[in-house]
Amino acid sequence: ETEAGEGEEPVVEQSTINSIAESVRQVVPQLEADRMYRLKGGALTRIAVCRLIQCMAIANVHMPTFSVYTGAMGRPKKERTLGVFQTAIEDSINHLEASVQEAAVNAL
């Protein structure tokens, strides 16, 4: 990062932006791998994931073809990125709570 003068926007290195974008792209696959939807607060987690997907679409975040993340037992897992996101939305549409279903529809 570079210091910004008075009245200037701070300059952020492209590598920092890329690193943050990659971290954001890994949230959904990692939550699925960690089975976070099945814990207490799973419905809220689903709502948050759907909102994240919706915001990523609005921001036109580039999605790689495959995502690699830590799966069960600490093993690396490689899946189609959009497939993971689509599964998260479809599972949320089929959820019992209307608020989760609404968040999923908004993510489409």
Side-chain angles (χ1 to χ4, degrees):
E1 291 186 4
T2 310
E3 294 285 328
E6 218 173 292
E8 293 179 26
E9 290 292 319
V11 176
V12 180
E13 298 291 330
Q14 189 61 42
S15 61
T16 302
I17 293 170
N18 292 342
S19 175
I20 292 169
E22 181 58 29
S23 295
V24 169
R25 284 191 290 264
Q26 294 300 322
V27 168
V28 177
Q30 196 61 58
L31 285 174
E32 182 63 41
D34 293 343
R35 301 176 169 260
M36 298 302 287
Y37 301 132
R38 290 160 180 80
L39 301 175
K40 184 176 182 178
L44 291 175
T45 302
R46 286 187 183 280
I47 291 169
V49 164
C50 289
R51 179 65 179 150
L52 175 63
I53 293 170
Q54 179 184 8
C55 290
M56 290 172 72
I58 291 168
N60 200 23
V61 173
H62 169 74
M63 300 305 267
T65 303
F66 290 96
S67 290
V68 179
Y69 54 94
T70 305
M73 311 283 251
R75 296 183 186 141
K77 190 170 182 180
K78 181 177 179 179
E79 287 193 48
R80 290 196 171 276
T81 304
L82 295 181
V84 173
F85 282 66
Q86 183 176 352
T87 299
I89 292 171
E90 288 173 353
D91 289 350
S92 295
I93 286 174
N94 294 321
H95 197 273
L96 295 174
E97 290 189 30
S99 58
V100 176
Q101 294 172 352
E102 183 179 340
V105 169
N106 290 336
L108 293 174

